[in-house]
Amino acid sequence: LSKLAVPPITGVRELSPGNEVSYALGSIVLSHVTIPSQHLIVSVSGRSVTVKATRISAALKNFTWIYKQKGFPWLKDSG
């Protein structure tokens, strides 16, 4: 694979009681995705195809990010 788009990733992490940070990563694009054939399992069951892969490697080509702290010192940024 030369390029692969990844769904957005969002979450919240507690830094201390009552103080947490929310974050999101989006527009994630991976390049140079490599899946070794010996670690790729494809199975067919009726009309369903399942693909399982391990030992995948990729380069992070581009992404956007944002975070916002919900307590002192109320930091936020994006890029």
Side-chain angles (χ1 to χ4, degrees):
L1 297 172
S2 61
K3 191 164 105 173
L4 178 66
V6 179
I9 299 168
T10 61
V12 177
R13 181 171 182 163
E14 185 175 44
L15 302 175
S16 60
N19 190 4
E20 59 187 27
V21 64
S22 57
Y23 61 88
L25 300 171
S27 303
I28 301 168
V29 179
L30 301 176
S31 65
H32 299 66
V33 179
T34 304
I35 305 171
S37 59
Q38 65 271 28
H39 297 285
L40 182 64
I41 300 168
V42 179
S43 58
V44 179
S45 177
R47 294 176 54 158
S48 210
V49 177
T50 302
V51 178
K52 294 182 182 181
T54 58
R55 300 198 181 175
I56 299 169
S57 65
L60 182 58
K61 186 174 181 178
N62 195 15
F63 68 98
T64 59
W65 57 271
I66 187 169
Y67 74 89
K68 184 176 182 181
Q69 190 171 345
K70 297 181 179 180
F72 185 78
W74 298 286
L75 301 172
K76 65 180 179 177
D77 205 351
S78 63

